[in-house]
Short mmCIF file of all heavy atoms in Angstrom, two decimals:
data_model
loop_
_atom_site.label_atom_id
_atom_site.label_comp_id
_atom_site.label_asym_id
_atom_site.label_seq_id
_atom_site.Cartn_x
_atom_site.Cartn_y
_atom_site.Cartn_z
N GLY A 1103 120.13 -93.52 -169.78
CA GLY A 1103 120.23 -94.83 -170.39
C GLY A 1103 119.35 -94.94 -171.64
O GLY A 1103 119.02 -96.06 -172.10
N ASP A 1104 118.97 -93.85 -172.22
CA ASP A 1104 118.04 -93.87 -173.38
C ASP A 1104 118.64 -94.51 -174.62
O ASP A 1104 117.93 -95.23 -175.30
CB ASP A 1104 117.66 -92.43 -173.69
CG ASP A 1104 116.38 -92.35 -174.59
OD1 ASP A 1104 115.58 -93.28 -174.42
OD2 ASP A 1104 116.21 -91.38 -175.37
N ALA A 1105 119.94 -94.38 -174.84
CA ALA A 1105 120.55 -94.93 -176.04
C ALA A 1105 121.08 -96.31 -175.80
O ALA A 1105 120.95 -97.14 -176.69
CB ALA A 1105 121.70 -93.97 -176.49
N HIS A 1106 121.74 -96.53 -174.69
CA HIS A 1106 122.35 -97.84 -174.43
C HIS A 1106 122.02 -98.26 -172.90
O HIS A 1106 122.88 -98.05 -172.08
CB HIS A 1106 123.84 -97.82 -174.64
CG HIS A 1106 124.21 -97.35 -176.02
ND1 HIS A 1106 124.13 -98.15 -177.13
CD2 HIS A 1106 124.71 -96.17 -176.44
CE1 HIS A 1106 124.51 -97.49 -178.18
NE2 HIS A 1106 124.90 -96.28 -177.79
N PRO A 1107 120.93 -98.83 -172.68
CA PRO A 1107 120.54 -99.20 -171.30
C PRO A 1107 121.52 -100.12 -170.62
O PRO A 1107 121.85 -99.93 -169.39
CB PRO A 1107 119.13 -99.82 -171.42
CG PRO A 1107 118.60 -99.36 -172.74
CD PRO A 1107 119.85 -99.16 -173.61
N GLY A 1108 122.02 -101.13 -171.31
CA GLY A 1108 122.95 -102.06 -170.69
C GLY A 1108 124.27 -101.38 -170.27
O GLY A 1108 124.77 -101.58 -169.21
N LEU A 1109 124.75 -100.49 -171.09
CA LEU A 1109 125.97 -99.83 -170.85
C LEU A 1109 125.75 -98.82 -169.68
O LEU A 1109 126.61 -98.69 -168.79
CB LEU A 1109 126.47 -99.06 -172.08
CG LEU A 1109 127.71 -98.17 -171.93
CD1 LEU A 1109 128.94 -99.07 -171.59
CD2 LEU A 1109 128.00 -97.40 -173.20
N PHE A 1110 124.62 -98.22 -169.63
CA PHE A 1110 124.27 -97.29 -168.57
C PHE A 1110 124.28 -98.08 -167.26
O PHE A 1110 124.71 -97.56 -166.21
CB PHE A 1110 122.91 -96.67 -168.86
CG PHE A 1110 122.49 -95.65 -167.81
CD1 PHE A 1110 123.02 -94.39 -167.75
CD2 PHE A 1110 121.53 -96.00 -166.86
CE1 PHE A 1110 122.56 -93.46 -166.80
CE2 PHE A 1110 121.13 -95.11 -165.87
CZ PHE A 1110 121.69 -93.80 -165.85
N LEU A 1111 123.58 -99.21 -167.22
CA LEU A 1111 123.56 -100.04 -166.02
C LEU A 1111 124.91 -100.41 -165.51
O LEU A 1111 125.25 -100.23 -164.31
CB LEU A 1111 122.68 -101.30 -166.30
CG LEU A 1111 122.68 -102.34 -165.17
CD1 LEU A 1111 122.07 -101.77 -163.90
CD2 LEU A 1111 121.93 -103.59 -165.63
N SER A 1112 125.76 -101.00 -166.35
CA SER A 1112 127.05 -101.50 -165.92
C SER A 1112 127.93 -100.33 -165.46
O SER A 1112 128.63 -100.42 -164.42
CB SER A 1112 127.76 -102.26 -167.02
OG SER A 1112 127.85 -101.44 -168.20
N THR A 1113 127.94 -99.22 -166.18
CA THR A 1113 128.74 -98.08 -165.82
C THR A 1113 128.29 -97.45 -164.50
O THR A 1113 129.10 -97.06 -163.65
CB THR A 1113 128.74 -97.02 -166.92
OG1 THR A 1113 129.10 -97.58 -168.15
CG2 THR A 1113 129.70 -95.89 -166.60
N SER A 1114 126.97 -97.32 -164.29
CA SER A 1114 126.47 -96.78 -163.05
C SER A 1114 126.81 -97.67 -161.85
O SER A 1114 127.16 -97.13 -160.82
CB SER A 1114 124.92 -96.65 -163.16
OG SER A 1114 124.55 -95.83 -164.17
N ILE A 1115 126.79 -98.94 -162.01
CA ILE A 1115 127.14 -99.86 -160.93
C ILE A 1115 128.62 -99.72 -160.58
O ILE A 1115 129.05 -99.61 -159.40
CB ILE A 1115 126.83 -101.30 -161.32
CG1 ILE A 1115 125.33 -101.50 -161.33
CG2 ILE A 1115 127.43 -102.31 -160.26
CD1 ILE A 1115 124.89 -102.90 -161.78
N VAL A 1116 129.48 -99.63 -161.61
CA VAL A 1116 130.94 -99.47 -161.39
C VAL A 1116 131.19 -98.09 -160.66
O VAL A 1116 131.98 -98.03 -159.72
CB VAL A 1116 131.69 -99.50 -162.71
CG1 VAL A 1116 133.17 -99.06 -162.49
CG2 VAL A 1116 131.65 -100.91 -163.30
N PHE A 1117 130.47 -97.05 -161.12
CA PHE A 1117 130.60 -95.76 -160.55
C PHE A 1117 130.20 -95.72 -159.05
O PHE A 1117 130.86 -95.14 -158.19
CB PHE A 1117 129.72 -94.73 -161.31
CG PHE A 1117 130.10 -93.33 -161.10
CD1 PHE A 1117 131.39 -92.92 -160.68
CD2 PHE A 1117 129.24 -92.33 -161.37
CE1 PHE A 1117 131.72 -91.62 -160.51
CE2 PHE A 1117 129.53 -90.99 -161.22
CZ PHE A 1117 130.80 -90.64 -160.76
N ALA A 1118 129.11 -96.43 -158.75
CA ALA A 1118 128.65 -96.57 -157.36
C ALA A 1118 129.62 -97.33 -156.46
O ALA A 1118 129.84 -96.96 -155.35
CB ALA A 1118 127.24 -97.25 -157.33
N MET A 1119 130.23 -98.39 -157.04
CA MET A 1119 131.16 -99.17 -156.30
C MET A 1119 132.43 -98.36 -156.00
O MET A 1119 132.97 -98.38 -154.86
CB MET A 1119 131.55 -100.47 -157.07
CG MET A 1119 130.42 -101.45 -157.23
SD MET A 1119 130.87 -102.85 -158.29
CE MET A 1119 132.25 -103.54 -157.44
N ILE A 1120 132.85 -97.57 -156.95
CA ILE A 1120 134.05 -96.71 -156.75
C ILE A 1120 133.73 -95.65 -155.66
O ILE A 1120 134.54 -95.40 -154.80
CB ILE A 1120 134.47 -96.08 -158.04
CG1 ILE A 1120 135.09 -97.10 -158.96
CG2 ILE A 1120 135.53 -94.98 -157.83
CD1 ILE A 1120 135.42 -96.57 -160.33
N SER A 1121 132.52 -95.08 -155.74
CA SER A 1121 132.15 -94.06 -154.76
C SER A 1121 132.04 -94.59 -153.41
O SER A 1121 132.48 -93.97 -152.44
CB SER A 1121 130.81 -93.41 -155.21
OG SER A 1121 130.94 -92.88 -156.50
N VAL A 1122 131.49 -95.81 -153.22
CA VAL A 1122 131.39 -96.46 -151.89
C VAL A 1122 132.75 -96.75 -151.33
O VAL A 1122 133.04 -96.57 -150.20
CB VAL A 1122 130.49 -97.72 -151.98
CG1 VAL A 1122 130.56 -98.46 -150.69
CG2 VAL A 1122 129.07 -97.30 -152.28
N THR A 1123 133.63 -97.29 -152.20
CA THR A 1123 134.99 -97.58 -151.80
C THR A 1123 135.76 -96.37 -151.37
O THR A 1123 136.48 -96.31 -150.35
CB THR A 1123 135.76 -98.24 -152.96
OG1 THR A 1123 135.08 -99.44 -153.37
CG2 THR A 1123 137.20 -98.64 -152.55
N ALA A 1124 135.48 -95.21 -152.09
CA ALA A 1124 136.13 -93.95 -151.71
C ALA A 1124 135.72 -93.43 -150.37
O ALA A 1124 136.50 -92.72 -149.70
CB ALA A 1124 135.85 -92.93 -152.82
N VAL A 1125 134.51 -93.72 -149.97
CA VAL A 1125 134.05 -93.35 -148.64
C VAL A 1125 134.99 -93.88 -147.54
O VAL A 1125 135.38 -93.13 -146.62
CB VAL A 1125 132.59 -93.84 -148.34
CG1 VAL A 1125 132.20 -93.59 -146.90
CG2 VAL A 1125 131.58 -93.08 -149.28
N PHE A 1126 135.37 -95.09 -147.63
CA PHE A 1126 136.23 -95.74 -146.67
C PHE A 1126 137.72 -95.34 -146.91
O PHE A 1126 138.43 -95.13 -145.87
CB PHE A 1126 136.15 -97.28 -146.75
CG PHE A 1126 134.77 -97.83 -146.43
CD1 PHE A 1126 133.90 -98.11 -147.47
CD2 PHE A 1126 134.37 -97.97 -145.13
CE1 PHE A 1126 132.63 -98.58 -147.15
CE2 PHE A 1126 133.09 -98.40 -144.85
CZ PHE A 1126 132.23 -98.75 -145.84
N SER A 1127 138.17 -95.21 -148.12
CA SER A 1127 139.54 -94.81 -148.33
C SER A 1127 139.83 -93.42 -147.89
O SER A 1127 140.88 -93.08 -147.34
CB SER A 1127 139.89 -94.99 -149.80
OG SER A 1127 139.17 -94.17 -150.63
N ILE A 1128 138.85 -92.56 -148.07
CA ILE A 1128 138.97 -91.18 -147.59
C ILE A 1128 138.95 -91.13 -146.05
O ILE A 1128 139.64 -90.38 -145.45
CB ILE A 1128 137.88 -90.26 -148.17
CG1 ILE A 1128 138.04 -90.11 -149.67
CG2 ILE A 1128 137.82 -88.90 -147.50
CD1 ILE A 1128 136.89 -89.41 -150.37
N HIS A 1129 138.11 -91.97 -145.46
CA HIS A 1129 138.04 -91.95 -144.00
C HIS A 1129 139.34 -92.49 -143.43
O HIS A 1129 139.83 -91.94 -142.40
CB HIS A 1129 136.90 -92.94 -143.58
CG HIS A 1129 136.80 -93.12 -142.04
ND1 HIS A 1129 136.34 -92.08 -141.24
CD2 HIS A 1129 137.11 -94.16 -141.29
CE1 HIS A 1129 136.36 -92.51 -139.95
NE2 HIS A 1129 136.81 -93.79 -140.02
N TRP A 1130 139.93 -93.48 -144.03
CA TRP A 1130 141.24 -94.00 -143.56
C TRP A 1130 142.42 -93.23 -144.03
O TRP A 1130 143.52 -93.46 -143.57
CB TRP A 1130 141.34 -95.51 -143.91
CG TRP A 1130 140.35 -96.41 -143.28
CD1 TRP A 1130 139.81 -96.27 -142.02
CD2 TRP A 1130 139.72 -97.52 -143.82
NE1 TRP A 1130 138.92 -97.22 -141.73
CE2 TRP A 1130 138.84 -98.09 -142.86
CE3 TRP A 1130 139.80 -98.16 -145.11
CZ2 TRP A 1130 138.07 -99.22 -143.12
CZ3 TRP A 1130 138.99 -99.30 -145.32
CH2 TRP A 1130 138.17 -99.85 -144.31
N ARG A 1131 142.20 -92.36 -145.05
CA ARG A 1131 143.24 -91.53 -145.63
C ARG A 1131 144.33 -92.37 -146.23
O ARG A 1131 145.52 -92.12 -146.13
CB ARG A 1131 143.79 -90.53 -144.64
CG ARG A 1131 142.72 -89.58 -144.10
CD ARG A 1131 143.31 -88.52 -143.29
NE ARG A 1131 142.23 -87.58 -142.83
CZ ARG A 1131 142.44 -86.48 -142.12
NH1 ARG A 1131 143.69 -86.16 -141.71
NH2 ARG A 1131 141.42 -85.67 -141.74
N ILE A 1132 143.98 -93.44 -146.88
CA ILE A 1132 144.86 -94.36 -147.59
C ILE A 1132 144.29 -94.66 -148.98
O ILE A 1132 143.16 -95.15 -149.10
CB ILE A 1132 145.06 -95.70 -146.83
CG1 ILE A 1132 145.57 -95.46 -145.43
CG2 ILE A 1132 145.92 -96.64 -147.63
CD1 ILE A 1132 145.68 -96.68 -144.60
N PRO A 1133 144.98 -94.31 -150.04
CA PRO A 1133 146.31 -93.67 -150.15
C PRO A 1133 146.23 -92.19 -149.78
O PRO A 1133 145.16 -91.71 -149.25
CB PRO A 1133 146.73 -93.87 -151.59
CG PRO A 1133 145.44 -93.96 -152.28
CD PRO A 1133 144.47 -94.65 -151.39
N ASP A 1134 147.31 -91.43 -150.14
CA ASP A 1134 147.34 -90.06 -149.67
C ASP A 1134 146.37 -89.21 -150.45
O ASP A 1134 145.74 -89.62 -151.45
CB ASP A 1134 148.78 -89.50 -149.95
CG ASP A 1134 149.16 -89.62 -151.41
OD1 ASP A 1134 149.70 -90.68 -151.83
OD2 ASP A 1134 148.96 -88.61 -152.11
N TYR A 1135 146.22 -87.95 -150.01
CA TYR A 1135 145.17 -87.04 -150.55
C TYR A 1135 145.35 -86.77 -152.05
O TYR A 1135 144.39 -86.90 -152.83
CB TYR A 1135 145.23 -85.74 -149.82
CG TYR A 1135 144.44 -84.68 -150.45
CD1 TYR A 1135 143.06 -84.55 -150.22
CD2 TYR A 1135 145.01 -83.67 -151.27
CE1 TYR A 1135 142.29 -83.53 -150.82
CE2 TYR A 1135 144.28 -82.71 -151.89
CZ TYR A 1135 142.89 -82.64 -151.64
OH TYR A 1135 142.14 -81.61 -152.21
N ASP A 1136 146.60 -86.48 -152.49
CA ASP A 1136 146.79 -86.19 -153.90
C ASP A 1136 146.47 -87.29 -154.79
O ASP A 1136 145.86 -87.21 -155.87
CB ASP A 1136 148.24 -85.77 -154.14
CG ASP A 1136 148.54 -84.39 -153.52
OD1 ASP A 1136 147.65 -83.60 -153.39
OD2 ASP A 1136 149.73 -84.16 -153.16
N SER A 1137 146.85 -88.58 -154.34
CA SER A 1137 146.56 -89.76 -155.17
C SER A 1137 145.06 -90.00 -155.32
O SER A 1137 144.54 -90.27 -156.35
CB SER A 1137 147.27 -90.94 -154.54
OG SER A 1137 148.68 -90.84 -154.55
N GLN A 1138 144.37 -89.88 -154.13
CA GLN A 1138 142.91 -90.16 -154.20
C GLN A 1138 142.24 -89.09 -155.02
O GLN A 1138 141.35 -89.43 -155.82
CB GLN A 1138 142.34 -90.13 -152.76
CG GLN A 1138 142.82 -91.36 -151.95
CD GLN A 1138 141.78 -91.67 -150.82
OE1 GLN A 1138 140.58 -91.74 -151.03
NE2 GLN A 1138 142.34 -91.86 -149.64
N ALA A 1139 142.54 -87.84 -154.89
CA ALA A 1139 141.87 -86.80 -155.60
C ALA A 1139 142.14 -86.96 -157.15
O ALA A 1139 141.20 -86.82 -157.95
CB ALA A 1139 142.42 -85.38 -155.15
N ALA A 1140 143.33 -87.35 -157.53
CA ALA A 1140 143.63 -87.54 -158.95
C ALA A 1140 142.95 -88.76 -159.52
O ALA A 1140 142.33 -88.71 -160.63
CB ALA A 1140 145.16 -87.74 -159.10
N LEU A 1141 142.96 -89.85 -158.80
CA LEU A 1141 142.25 -91.11 -159.30
C LEU A 1141 140.76 -90.92 -159.34
O LEU A 1141 140.14 -91.33 -160.30
CB LEU A 1141 142.62 -92.26 -158.33
CG LEU A 1141 144.10 -92.75 -158.42
CD1 LEU A 1141 144.33 -93.78 -157.27
CD2 LEU A 1141 144.40 -93.33 -159.78
N LEU A 1142 140.16 -90.26 -158.36
CA LEU A 1142 138.70 -90.07 -158.41
C LEU A 1142 138.34 -89.12 -159.50
O LEU A 1142 137.24 -89.27 -160.09
CB LEU A 1142 138.24 -89.53 -157.07
CG LEU A 1142 138.31 -90.60 -155.87
CD1 LEU A 1142 137.98 -89.96 -154.59
CD2 LEU A 1142 137.34 -91.79 -156.16
N SER A 1143 139.16 -88.07 -159.76
CA SER A 1143 138.85 -87.20 -160.87
C SER A 1143 138.90 -87.89 -162.19
O SER A 1143 138.05 -87.66 -163.12
CB SER A 1143 139.84 -86.03 -160.86
OG SER A 1143 139.73 -85.25 -159.71
N PHE A 1144 139.87 -88.85 -162.34
CA PHE A 1144 139.95 -89.60 -163.52
C PHE A 1144 138.69 -90.50 -163.67
O PHE A 1144 138.17 -90.61 -164.81
CB PHE A 1144 141.21 -90.53 -163.52
CG PHE A 1144 141.38 -91.40 -164.75
CD1 PHE A 1144 141.95 -90.83 -165.91
CD2 PHE A 1144 140.99 -92.71 -164.72
CE1 PHE A 1144 142.07 -91.63 -167.04
CE2 PHE A 1144 141.16 -93.50 -165.87
CZ PHE A 1144 141.67 -92.99 -167.03
N ALA A 1145 138.25 -91.07 -162.59
CA ALA A 1145 137.07 -91.93 -162.63
C ALA A 1145 135.87 -91.11 -163.03
O ALA A 1145 135.02 -91.53 -163.81
CB ALA A 1145 136.84 -92.58 -161.30
N ASP A 1146 135.74 -89.88 -162.49
CA ASP A 1146 134.68 -89.02 -162.80
C ASP A 1146 134.59 -88.71 -164.31
O ASP A 1146 133.48 -88.84 -164.94
CB ASP A 1146 134.77 -87.68 -162.04
CG ASP A 1146 134.46 -87.83 -160.59
OD1 ASP A 1146 133.80 -88.80 -160.20
OD2 ASP A 1146 134.89 -86.95 -159.78
N VAL A 1147 135.68 -88.25 -164.85
CA VAL A 1147 135.69 -87.94 -166.26
C VAL A 1147 135.38 -89.13 -167.13
O VAL A 1147 134.55 -89.02 -168.07
CB VAL A 1147 137.08 -87.34 -166.65
CG1 VAL A 1147 137.18 -87.17 -168.20
CG2 VAL A 1147 137.35 -86.00 -165.96
N THR A 1148 135.99 -90.26 -166.88
CA THR A 1148 135.82 -91.47 -167.67
C THR A 1148 134.37 -92.00 -167.59
O THR A 1148 133.66 -92.18 -168.61
CB THR A 1148 136.77 -92.53 -167.27
OG1 THR A 1148 138.12 -92.10 -167.34
CG2 THR A 1148 136.62 -93.78 -168.18
#
C-alpha cells in the first residue's frame, strides 16, 4: 500500500471477501469445478 493506501485497503477487503466466499462454494461444490477455478483465477490476476 505504499503508493495508494486507499486502493490497497479496498482491494484487499474485496479479495478477502471473495476468498472467504470461495471457502463455502468449494465446500458445497457450487458452481462446478471448472467454473470456480476459472473465476477465481480471474479474480487472482485482476
Side-chain angles (χ1 to χ4, degrees):
D1104 198 28
H1106 306 283
L1109 180 62
F1110 181 79
L1111 171 62
S1112 58
T1113 306
S1114 298
I1115 292 176
V1116 171
F1117 199 23
M1119 292 174 61
I1120 291 175
S1121 302
V1122 171
T1123 302
V1125 171
F1126 298 99
S1127 64
I1128 293 172
H1129 177 73
W1130 294 325
R1131 300 188 178 183
I1132 300 174
D1134 60 274
Y1135 169 82
D1136 290 334
S1137 297
Q1138 290 203 50
L1141 289 173
L1142 290 173
S1143 294
F1144 180 81
D1146 288 340
V1147 171
T1148 304

